[in-house]
Coordinates of all heavy atoms in Angstrom, one line a residue:
M1 N 0.9 -1.2 0.0 CA -0.1 0.0 0.0 C 0.9 1.3 0.0 O 1.9 1.3 0.8 CB -0.9 -0.1 1.3 CG -1.8 1.1 1.3 SD -3.0 1.1 2.6 CE -2.2 2.4 3.6
D2 N 0.5 2.2 -0.8 CA 1.3 3.4 -0.9 C 0.9 4.2 0.2 O -0.2 4.5 0.6 CB 0.8 4.2 -2.2 CG 1.6 5.4 -2.5 OD1 2.3 5.8 -1.5 OD2 1.5 5.9 -3.7
E3 N 1.9 4.8 1.0 CA 1.7 5.6 2.2 C 0.9 6.9 2.0 O 0.3 7.4 2.8 CB 3.1 6.0 2.8 CG 3.8 4.8 3.4 CD 3.1 4.2 4.6 OE1 2.4 5.0 5.4 OE2 3.3 3.0 4.8
E4 N 0.9 7.3 0.6 CA 0.2 8.5 0.2 C -1.3 8.4 0.1 O -2.0 9.3 0.2 CB 0.9 9.2 -0.9 CG 2.3 9.5 -0.9 CD 2.5 10.6 0.3 OE1 1.8 11.6 0.3 OE2 3.4 10.3 1.0
E5 N -1.7 7.2 -0.3 CA -3.1 6.9 -0.6 C -3.9 6.3 0.7 O -3.4 5.4 1.4 CB -3.2 5.8 -1.7 CG -2.7 6.4 -3.0 CD -2.9 5.3 -4.1 OE1 -3.9 4.5 -4.0 OE2 -2.0 5.2 -4.9
P6 N -5.0 7.0 1.0 CA -5.8 6.4 2.0 C -6.3 4.9 1.7 O -6.5 4.6 0.7 CB -7.0 7.3 2.0 CG -6.5 8.6 1.3 CD -5.6 8.1 0.3
F7 N -6.4 4.2 2.8 CA -6.8 2.8 2.7 C -8.3 2.8 2.4 O -9.2 3.4 3.0 CB -6.5 2.1 4.1 CG -6.5 0.7 4.0 CD1 -5.7 -0.2 3.5 CD2 -7.6 0.0 4.6 CE1 -5.8 -1.6 3.4 CE2 -7.7 -1.3 4.8 CZ -6.9 -2.1 4.1
G8 N -8.7 1.8 1.5 CA -10.1 1.5 1.2 C -10.7 2.4 0.1 O -9.9 3.3 -0.2
V9 N -11.8 2.0 -0.3 CA -12.5 2.8 -1.4 C -13.6 3.6 -0.7 O -14.1 3.3 0.3 CB -13.1 1.9 -2.5 CG1 -11.9 1.2 -3.2 CG2 -14.1 1.0 -1.9
V10 N -13.9 4.8 -1.3 CA -14.9 5.6 -0.7 C -16.2 5.1 -1.3 O -16.5 5.0 -2.5 CB -14.7 7.1 -1.1 CG1 -15.9 8.0 -0.8 CG2 -13.4 7.7 -0.5
F11 N -17.2 5.0 -0.4 CA -18.6 4.6 -0.8 C -19.4 5.5 0.0 O -19.4 5.4 1.4 CB -18.8 3.2 -0.6 CG -20.3 2.8 -0.6 CD1 -21.0 3.0 -1.8 CD2 -20.9 2.4 0.5 CE1 -22.4 2.7 -1.8 CE2 -22.4 2.2 0.5 CZ -23.1 2.2 -0.7
E12 N -20.3 6.4 -0.5 CA -21.1 7.3 0.3 C -20.3 8.0 1.2 O -19.4 8.7 0.8 CB -22.3 6.5 1.1 CG -23.2 5.7 0.1 CD -24.5 6.4 -0.3 OE1 -24.9 7.2 0.4 OE2 -24.9 6.1 -1.5
D13 N -20.6 7.9 2.5 CA -19.8 8.6 3.5 C -18.8 7.7 4.3 O -18.6 7.9 5.6 CB -20.7 9.3 4.5 CG -21.5 10.5 3.8 OD1 -20.9 11.1 3.0 OD2 -22.6 10.6 4.2
F14 N -18.4 6.7 3.6 CA -17.6 5.7 4.4 C -16.4 5.3 3.5 O -16.4 5.5 2.3 CB -18.5 4.4 4.5 CG -19.8 4.6 5.0 CD1 -20.9 4.7 4.2 CD2 -19.9 4.8 6.4 CE1 -22.2 4.8 4.8 CE2 -21.3 5.0 6.9 CZ -22.4 5.1 6.1
R15 N -15.5 4.6 4.2 CA -14.2 4.0 3.5 C -14.6 2.5 3.7 O -15.0 2.1 4.8 CB -13.0 4.4 4.2 CG -12.5 5.6 3.8 CD -11.0 5.7 3.6 NE -10.7 6.9 2.9 CZ -10.4 7.0 1.7 NH1 -10.5 6.0 0.9 NH2 -10.2 8.1 1.1
L16 N -14.4 1.7 2.7 CA -14.7 0.3 2.6 C -13.8 -0.5 1.9 O -13.2 0.0 1.0 CB -16.2 0.3 1.9 CG -16.7 -1.0 1.3 CD1 -17.3 -1.9 2.7 CD2 -18.0 -0.7 0.5
I17 N -13.6 -1.7 2.4 CA -12.8 -2.7 1.7 C -13.4 -4.0 1.8 O -14.1 -4.4 2.8 CB -11.3 -2.7 2.4 CG1 -10.3 -3.4 1.4 CG2 -11.2 -3.2 3.8 CD1 -8.9 -3.0 1.7
W18 N -13.1 -4.9 0.9 CA -13.7 -6.3 0.9 C -12.8 -7.2 0.2 O -12.0 -6.9 -0.7 CB -15.1 -6.3 0.3 CG -15.1 -6.0 -1.2 CD1 -15.0 -6.9 -2.2 CD2 -15.3 -4.7 -1.7 NE1 -15.1 -6.2 -3.4 CE2 -15.3 -4.8 -3.1 CE3 -15.4 -3.4 -1.3 CZ2 -15.3 -3.9 -4.1 CZ3 -15.5 -2.3 -2.2 CH2 -15.5 -2.5 -3.5
V19 N -13.0 -8.5 0.4 CA -12.3 -9.6 -0.2 C -13.5 -10.5 -0.7 O -14.2 -11.2 0.1 CB -11.3 -10.4 0.6 CG1 -10.7 -11.5 -0.2 CG2 -10.2 -9.4 1.0
A20 N -13.7 -10.5 -2.0 CA -14.7 -11.5 -2.6 C -14.1 -12.9 -2.8 O -12.9 -13.0 -3.1 CB -15.3 -10.9 -3.9
E21 N -14.9 -13.8 -2.7 CA -14.4 -15.3 -2.8 C -15.4 -16.1 -3.6 O -16.6 -16.1 -3.3 CB -14.2 -15.9 -1.5 CG -14.0 -17.3 -1.4 CD -13.9 -17.8 0.1 OE1 -14.4 -17.2 1.0 OE2 -13.3 -19.0 0.2
R22 N -14.9 -16.8 -4.6 CA -15.7 -17.7 -5.4 C -15.6 -19.1 -4.8 O -14.5 -19.7 -4.6 CB -15.3 -17.8 -6.8 CG -16.2 -18.5 -7.8 CD -16.0 -18.2 -9.2 NE -17.0 -18.8 -10.0 CZ -17.1 -18.9 -11.3 NH1 -16.1 -18.4 -11.9 NH2 -18.1 -19.5 -11.9
L23 N -16.7 -19.6 -4.4 CA -16.8 -20.9 -3.8 C -16.7 -22.1 -4.8 O -17.0 -21.9 -6.1 CB -18.1 -21.0 -2.9 CG -18.3 -19.9 -1.9 CD1 -19.7 -20.0 -1.2 CD2 -17.3 -20.0 -0.9
Q24 N -16.6 -23.3 -4.4 CA -16.6 -24.3 -5.2 C -17.7 -24.6 -6.1 O -17.7 -25.2 -7.2 CB -16.1 -25.7 -4.5 CG -14.8 -25.7 -3.9 CD -14.5 -27.0 -3.1 OE1 -15.3 -27.8 -2.8 NE2 -13.2 -27.2 -2.9
D25 N -18.9 -24.3 -5.6 CA -20.2 -24.5 -6.3 C -20.4 -23.3 -7.3 O -21.5 -23.2 -7.9 CB -21.3 -24.6 -5.4 CG -21.7 -23.4 -4.5 OD1 -21.0 -22.3 -4.6 OD2 -22.6 -23.5 -3.8
G26 N -19.5 -22.3 -7.4 CA -19.6 -21.3 -8.3 C -20.3 -20.0 -7.8 O -20.3 -19.1 -8.4
K27 N -20.8 -20.1 -6.6 CA -21.5 -18.9 -5.9 C -20.3 -18.0 -5.3 O -19.3 -18.5 -5.3 CB -22.3 -19.4 -4.9 CG -23.4 -20.3 -5.2 CD -24.6 -19.5 -5.9 CE -25.6 -20.5 -6.2 NZ -26.8 -19.9 -6.8
W28 N -20.7 -16.8 -4.9 CA -19.8 -15.9 -4.4 C -20.2 -15.4 -3.1 O -21.3 -15.3 -2.7 CB -19.8 -14.7 -5.3 CG -19.0 -14.8 -6.6 CD1 -19.7 -15.3 -7.7 CD2 -17.7 -14.5 -7.0 NE1 -18.7 -15.5 -8.7 CE2 -17.6 -14.8 -8.2 CE3 -16.6 -13.9 -6.2 CZ2 -16.3 -14.8 -8.9 CZ3 -15.5 -13.8 -6.9 CH2 -15.3 -14.1 -8.2
T29 N -19.2 -15.2 -2.2 CA -19.4 -14.6 -0.9 C -18.2 -13.6 -0.6 O -17.3 -13.4 -1.5 CB -19.5 -15.7 0.2 OG1 -19.8 -15.0 1.4 CG2 -18.1 -16.4 0.3
A30 N -18.2 -13.0 0.7 CA -17.1 -12.0 0.8 C -17.0 -11.7 2.2 O -17.8 -12.0 3.1 CB -17.3 -10.7 0.1
R31 N -15.8 -11.2 2.7 CA -15.7 -10.5 4.0 C -15.4 -9.0 3.7 O -14.9 -8.6 2.7 CB -14.4 -11.1 4.7 CG -14.5 -12.5 5.2 CD -13.6 -12.9 6.1 NE -13.8 -12.3 7.4 CZ -14.8 -12.7 8.4 NH1 -15.6 -13.7 8.0 NH2 -14.8 -12.0 9.5
Y32 N -15.9 -8.1 4.5 CA -15.9 -6.8 4.3 C -15.6 -6.0 5.7 O -16.0 -6.6 6.8 CB -17.1 -6.2 3.6 CG -18.3 -6.3 4.5 CD1 -18.8 -5.3 5.1 CD2 -19.0 -7.5 4.5 CE1 -20.0 -5.3 5.9 CE2 -20.2 -7.6 5.2 CZ -20.6 -6.5 6.0 OH -21.8 -6.6 6.7
C33 N -15.2 -4.8 5.5 CA -14.9 -3.9 6.6 C -15.1 -2.5 6.3 O -14.8 -2.2 5.2 CB -13.5 -4.1 7.2 SG -13.2 -3.4 8.9
W34 N -15.7 -1.7 7.1 CA -16.0 -0.3 6.7 C -15.7 0.6 8.0 O -15.7 0.1 9.1 CB -17.4 -0.1 6.2 CG -18.5 -0.5 7.2 CD1 -19.0 -1.7 7.6 CD2 -19.1 0.4 8.1 NE1 -20.0 -1.6 8.5 CE2 -20.0 -0.3 8.9 CE3 -19.1 1.7 8.3 CZ2 -21.0 0.3 9.8 CZ3 -20.0 2.5 9.2 CH2 -20.8 1.6 9.9
H35 N -15.5 1.8 7.6 CA -15.4 2.9 8.7 C -16.1 4.1 8.3 O -15.9 4.4 7.0 CB -14.0 3.1 9.1 CG -13.7 3.8 10.3 ND1 -13.9 5.0 10.6 CD2 -13.3 3.1 11.5 CE1 -13.5 5.3 11.8 NE2 -13.2 4.2 12.4
R36 N -16.7 4.8 9.2 CA -17.4 6.1 8.8 C -16.3 7.2 8.4 O -15.2 7.2 8.9 CB -18.1 6.7 10.0 CG -19.3 6.0 10.3 CD -20.2 6.8 11.3 NE -21.1 5.9 12.0 CZ -22.3 5.7 11.4 NH1 -22.6 6.3 10.2 NH2 -23.1 4.8 11.9
G37 N -16.7 8.0 7.4 CA -15.7 9.1 7.0 C -15.0 8.7 5.7 O -14.9 7.5 5.3
T38 N -14.5 9.7 5.0 CA -13.8 9.4 3.8 C -12.4 10.0 3.8 O -11.7 9.9 2.8 CB -14.6 10.1 2.6 OG1 -14.8 11.5 2.8 CG2 -16.0 9.5 2.5
S39 N -12.1 10.5 4.9 CA -10.7 11.1 4.9 C -9.6 10.2 5.1 O -9.8 9.0 5.3 CB -10.6 12.1 6.3 OG -10.8 11.3 7.4
A40 N -8.3 10.7 5.0 CA -7.1 9.9 5.2 C -7.2 9.2 6.6 O -6.8 8.0 6.8 CB -5.9 10.6 5.0
E41 N -7.6 9.9 7.6 CA -7.7 9.5 9.0 C -8.8 8.3 9.0 O -8.5 7.3 9.7 CB -8.2 10.6 9.9 CG -8.3 10.2 11.4 CD -8.7 11.3 12.3 OE1 -8.0 12.3 12.2 OE2 -9.7 11.0 12.9
A42 N -9.9 8.4 8.4 CA -10.9 7.3 8.3 C -10.2 6.0 7.6 O -10.4 5.0 8.1 CB -12.1 7.7 7.6
G43 N -9.3 6.3 6.6 CA -8.6 5.2 5.9 C -7.6 4.5 6.9 O -7.6 3.3 6.9
R44 N -7.0 5.3 7.8 CA -6.0 4.7 8.8 C -6.9 3.9 9.8 O -6.4 2.8 10.2 CB -5.3 5.7 9.4 CG -4.1 6.3 8.5 CD -3.1 7.2 9.2 NE -3.8 8.4 9.6 CZ -4.0 9.5 9.0 NH1 -3.6 9.6 7.7 NH2 -4.5 10.6 9.4
A45 N -8.0 4.4 10.3 CA -8.9 3.8 11.2 C -9.4 2.4 10.5 O -9.4 1.4 11.2 CB -10.0 4.7 11.7
L46 N -9.7 2.5 9.2 CA -10.2 1.3 8.6 C -9.1 0.3 8.6 O -9.3 -0.9 8.8 CB -10.6 1.6 7.1 CG -11.1 0.4 6.2 CD1 -12.2 -0.4 6.9 CD2 -11.4 0.9 4.8
Q47 N -7.9 0.7 8.2 CA -6.8 -0.3 8.1 C -6.5 -1.0 9.4 O -6.3 -2.1 9.6 CB -5.6 0.5 7.5 CG -4.4 -0.5 7.5 CD -3.1 0.3 6.8 OE1 -3.0 1.5 7.0 NE2 -2.3 -0.5 6.2
E48 N -6.6 -0.1 10.5 CA -6.4 -0.6 11.9 C -7.5 -1.6 12.2 O -7.1 -2.8 12.8 CB -6.6 0.5 12.9 CG -6.2 0.0 14.3 CD -6.1 1.1 15.3 OE1 -5.6 2.2 14.9 OE2 -6.6 1.0 16.4
D49 N -8.7 -1.4 11.8 CA -9.9 -2.4 12.0 C -9.5 -3.7 11.3 O -9.8 -4.8 11.8 CB -11.2 -1.9 11.6 CG -11.7 -0.8 12.5 OD1 -11.2 -0.6 13.6 OD2 -12.6 -0.1 12.1
V50 N -9.0 -3.6 10.0 CA -8.9 -4.8 9.3 C -7.7 -5.5 10.0 O -7.8 -6.8 10.1 CB -8.4 -4.4 7.8 CG1 -7.9 -5.6 7.0 CG2 -9.6 -3.9 7.1
L51 N -6.6 -4.9 10.3 CA -5.5 -5.5 11.0 C -5.8 -6.2 12.3 O -5.3 -7.2 12.7 CB -4.3 -4.6 11.1 CG -3.7 -4.1 9.8 CD1 -2.7 -3.0 10.1 CD2 -3.1 -5.3 9.0
N52 N -6.9 -5.7 12.9 CA -7.4 -6.2 14.1 C -8.5 -7.2 14.0 O -9.1 -7.7 15.0 CB -7.7 -5.1 15.1 CG -6.5 -4.3 15.7 OD1 -5.6 -4.9 15.9 ND2 -6.8 -3.0 15.8
G53 N -8.7 -7.6 12.8 CA -9.7 -8.6 12.5 C -11.1 -8.3 12.7 O -11.9 -9.2 13.0
K54 N -11.5 -7.1 12.5 CA -12.9 -6.6 12.6 C -13.7 -6.6 11.4 O -14.7 -5.8 11.3 CB -12.8 -5.2 13.3 CG -12.3 -5.3 14.7 CD -12.3 -3.9 15.3 CE -11.8 -3.8 16.7 NZ -11.7 -2.5 17.3
S55 N -13.5 -7.6 10.5 CA -14.2 -7.7 9.3 C -15.4 -8.5 9.7 O -15.6 -9.2 10.6 CB -13.4 -8.3 8.1 OG -13.1 -9.6 8.4
R56 N -16.3 -8.4 8.6 CA -17.6 -9.3 8.8 C -17.8 -10.2 7.5 O -17.3 -9.8 6.5 CB -18.8 -8.3 8.8 CG -18.9 -7.4 10.1 CD -20.1 -6.6 9.9 NE -20.1 -5.6 11.0 CZ -20.9 -5.8 12.1 NH1 -21.7 -6.7 12.2 NH2 -21.0 -4.9 13.2
R57 N -18.4 -11.2 7.8 CA -18.8 -12.3 6.6 C -20.1 -11.7 6.0 O -21.0 -11.5 6.8 CB -18.8 -13.5 7.1 CG -19.5 -14.5 6.2 CD -18.7 -15.2 5.2 NE -17.4 -15.7 5.5 CZ -16.4 -15.8 4.5 NH1 -16.6 -15.4 3.3 NH2 -15.2 -16.3 4.8
L58 N -20.0 -11.6 4.8 CA -21.3 -11.2 4.1 C -22.3 -12.6 4.2 O -21.8 -13.7 3.9 CB -21.2 -10.9 2.6 CG -22.3 -10.5 1.7 CD1 -22.9 -9.2 2.4 CD2 -21.8 -10.3 0.4
L59 N -23.5 -12.3 4.7 CA -24.5 -13.3 4.7 C -25.0 -13.8 3.4 O -25.4 -12.7 2.5 CB -25.7 -13.0 5.6 CG -25.2 -12.7 7.2 CD1 -26.4 -12.2 8.0 CD2 -24.5 -13.8 7.8
G60 N -25.1 -15.0 3.0 CA -25.7 -15.4 1.8 C -24.5 -15.6 0.9 O -23.4 -15.4 1.1
Q61 N -25.1 -16.2 -0.4 CA -24.2 -16.6 -1.4 C -24.9 -16.0 -2.7 O -26.0 -15.9 -2.8 CB -24.1 -18.1 -1.6 CG -23.4 -18.7 -0.4 CD -23.2 -20.2 -0.6 OE1 -23.7 -20.8 -1.5 NE2 -22.6 -20.8 0.5
F62 N -24.0 -15.5 -3.5 CA -24.4 -14.7 -4.8 C -24.0 -15.3 -6.0 O -23.0 -15.9 -6.0 CB -24.0 -13.2 -4.5 CG -24.5 -12.6 -3.3 CD1 -23.9 -12.8 -2.0 CD2 -25.8 -12.0 -3.2 CE1 -24.4 -12.4 -0.9 CE2 -26.3 -11.4 -2.0 CZ -25.6 -11.6 -0.8
E63 N -24.7 -14.9 -7.1 CA -24.4 -15.4 -8.4 C -23.1 -14.8 -9.1 O -22.5 -15.4 -9.9 CB -25.6 -15.1 -9.4 CG -26.8 -15.9 -9.0 CD -26.6 -17.4 -9.0 OE1 -26.0 -18.0 -9.9 OE2 -27.2 -18.0 -8.1
S64 N -22.8 -13.6 -8.6 CA -21.6 -13.0 -9.3 C -20.9 -12.1 -8.3 O -21.5 -11.7 -7.3 CB -22.1 -12.2 -10.5 OG -22.7 -11.0 -10.1
E65 N -19.7 -11.7 -8.7 CA -18.9 -10.8 -7.9 C -19.6 -9.4 -7.8 O -19.6 -8.7 -6.8 CB -17.4 -10.7 -8.4 CG -16.5 -9.8 -7.4 CD -15.2 -9.9 -7.9 OE1 -14.8 -10.2 -9.1 OE2 -14.3 -9.3 -7.1
A66 N -20.2 -9.0 -8.9 CA -20.9 -7.7 -8.8 C -22.1 -7.7 -7.9 O -22.3 -6.7 -7.2 CB -21.4 -7.5 -10.3
D67 N -22.7 -8.8 -7.9 CA -23.9 -9.0 -6.9 C -23.3 -8.9 -5.4 O -24.0 -8.4 -4.5 CB -24.7 -10.3 -7.1 CG -25.3 -10.4 -8.3 OD1 -25.7 -9.4 -8.9 OD2 -25.7 -11.5 -8.8
V68 N -22.2 -9.5 -5.2 CA -21.6 -9.4 -3.9 C -21.3 -8.0 -3.5 O -21.6 -7.5 -2.4 CB -20.2 -10.2 -3.9 CG1 -19.4 -9.9 -2.6 CG2 -20.6 -11.7 -3.8
I69 N -20.7 -7.1 -4.4 CA -20.4 -5.8 -4.2 C -21.7 -5.0 -3.8 O -21.7 -4.2 -2.9 CB -19.6 -5.1 -5.3 CG1 -18.3 -5.9 -5.5 CG2 -19.4 -3.7 -5.1 CD1 -17.5 -5.6 -6.7
V70 N -22.8 -5.2 -4.5 CA -24.0 -4.6 -4.2 C -24.6 -4.9 -2.9 O -24.9 -4.1 -2.1 CB -25.1 -4.9 -5.4 CG1 -26.5 -4.4 -4.9 CG2 -24.7 -4.3 -6.8
A71 N -24.4 -6.2 -2.6 CA -24.9 -6.7 -1.2 C -24.0 -6.1 -0.2 O -24.6 -5.7 1.0 CB -24.8 -8.2 -1.2
I72 N -22.8 -6.0 -0.3 CA -21.9 -5.3 0.8 C -22.3 -4.0 1.0 O -22.4 -3.5 2.0 CB -20.4 -5.4 0.3 CG1 -19.9 -6.8 0.3 CG2 -19.5 -4.5 1.2 CD1 -18.6 -7.2 -0.3
R73 N -22.5 -3.2 -0.1 CA -22.9 -1.7 0.0 C -24.3 -1.7 0.6 O -24.4 -0.8 1.6 CB -22.9 -1.1 -1.4 CG -21.6 -0.9 -2.0 CD -21.5 -0.3 -3.3 NE -20.2 -0.1 -3.7 CZ -19.9 0.4 -5.0 NH1 -20.8 0.7 -5.9 NH2 -18.6 0.7 -5.3
E74 N -25.1 -2.5 0.4 CA -26.4 -2.4 1.1 C -26.2 -2.8 2.6 O -26.9 -2.2 3.5 CB -27.3 -3.4 0.4 CG -27.8 -3.0 -1.0 CD -28.7 -4.1 -1.7 OE1 -29.0 -5.1 -1.1 OE2 -29.2 -3.7 -2.8
A75 N -25.3 -3.8 2.8 CA -25.1 -4.1 4.3 C -24.5 -3.0 5.1 O -24.9 -2.7 6.2 CB -24.2 -5.4 4.4
V76 N -23.5 -2.2 4.4 CA -23.0 -1.2 5.1 C -23.9 0.0 5.4 O -24.0 0.5 6.6 CB -21.7 -0.6 4.3 CG1 -21.3 0.7 4.8 CG2 -20.6 -1.7 4.3
L77 N -24.8 0.2 4.5 CA -25.8 1.3 4.7 C -26.8 0.8 5.9 O -27.1 1.6 6.7 CB -26.5 1.5 3.3 CG -25.8 2.3 2.3 CD1 -26.6 2.4 1.0 CD2 -25.2 3.7 2.7
L78 N -27.1 -0.3 5.9 CA -28.1 -0.8 6.9 C -27.4 -0.8 8.2 O -28.0 -0.3 9.2 CB -28.6 -2.2 6.6 CG -29.6 -2.8 7.4 CD1 -30.8 -2.0 7.6 CD2 -29.9 -4.2 7.1
E79 N -26.1 -1.3 8.3 CA -25.4 -1.3 9.6 C -25.2 0.1 10.0 O -25.4 0.4 11.4 CB -24.0 -1.9 9.4 CG -24.1 -3.5 9.2 CD -22.7 -4.1 8.8 OE1 -21.7 -3.4 9.0 OE2 -22.8 -5.2 8.4
A80 N -24.8 1.1 9.2 CA -24.6 2.4 9.6 C -26.1 3.1 10.0 O -26.0 3.8 11.0 CB -24.1 3.3 8.4
K81 N -27.1 2.7 9.4 CA -28.4 3.2 9.8 C -28.8 2.8 11.2 O -29.3 3.6 12.0 CB -29.5 2.7 8.8 CG -30.8 3.3 9.2 CD -31.9 2.8 8.2 CE -33.3 3.1 8.5 NZ -34.2 2.6 7.5
W82 N -28.4 1.5 11.6 CA -28.7 1.0 12.8 C -27.7 1.3 13.9 O -27.7 0.6 15.0 CB -29.2 -0.5 12.8 CG -30.4 -0.6 11.9 CD1 -30.6 -0.9 10.7 CD2 -31.7 -0.2 12.4 NE1 -31.9 -1.0 10.4 CE2 -32.5 -0.4 11.4 CE3 -32.2 0.2 13.7 CZ2 -34.0 -0.3 11.5 CZ3 -33.6 0.4 13.8 CH2 -34.4 0.2 12.7
G83 N -26.7 2.0 13.6 CA -25.8 2.5 14.6 C -24.5 1.6 14.9 O -23.8 1.9 15.9
S84 N -24.2 0.8 14.0 CA -23.0 0.1 14.2 C -21.8 0.9 13.6 O -21.5 0.8 12.6 CB -23.1 -1.3 13.3 OG -21.8 -2.0 13.6
A85 N -21.2 1.6 14.5 CA -20.1 2.6 14.3 C -18.9 1.9 13.7 O -18.3 2.2 12.7 CB -19.7 3.5 15.4
K86 N -18.6 0.7 14.3 CA -17.4 -0.1 13.8 C -17.9 -1.5 13.7 O -18.4 -2.1 14.6 CB -16.2 0.1 14.8 CG -15.7 1.4 14.8 CD -14.4 1.4 15.6 CE -13.5 2.7 15.5 NZ -12.3 2.7 16.2
P87 N -17.5 -2.1 12.5 CA -17.8 -3.5 12.4 C -17.0 -4.4 13.4 O -16.1 -4.0 14.1 CB -17.3 -3.9 11.0 CG -16.9 -2.6 10.3 CD -17.0 -1.5 11.4

């Protein structure tokens, strides 16, 4: 990772990172982690959360990697709405 670039991608008002995985049956799943804010500081906080194992497993299996990404974004918005400040 380049020291100049904030960690994670910006989505809405969050920094987000995920690892998608294709299962043996061809379905997709993922682990993801997010943090409020889009600043470099939020990126550092996200990186710390990832390094401390605070990621979540996406519930369900999906037909494509694109479907996984959509589901992750929906999960982050729902978690943020219900007050889960840190995964």
Side-chain angles (χ1 to χ4, degrees):
M1 184 178 105
D2 185 348
E3 292 292 326
E4 300 297 316
E5 293 183 36
F7 188 75
V9 296
V10 172
F11 167 67
E12 303 266 334
D13 294 326
F14 312 99
R15 284 218 167 260
L16 171 64
I17 193 160
W18 66 89
V19 175
E21 174 184 14
R22 189 168 189 184
L23 304 173
Q24 289 182 344
D25 66 358
K27 301 285 184 174
W28 287 83
T29 189
R31 291 198 70 79
Y32 65 98
C33 193
W34 64 275
H35 199 280
R36 287 188 195 279
T38 60
S39 66
E41 183 178 302
R44 285 188 295 276
L46 173 62
Q47 185 176 24
E48 186 176 320
D49 286 349
V50 169
L51 293 173
N52 287 322
K54 295 184 178 178
S55 66
R56 294 181 186 257
R57 165 84 42 205
L58 183 63
L59 298 178
Q61 297 179 358
F62 301 85
E63 295 297 321
S64 70
E65 186 174 12
D67 291 341
V68 165
I69 294 168
V70 169
I72 290 169
R73 290 177 172 178
E74 290 174 0
V76 168
L77 291 174
L78 186 61
E79 290 171 18
K81 179 180 178 179
W82 291 103
S84 179
K86 287 189 178 183

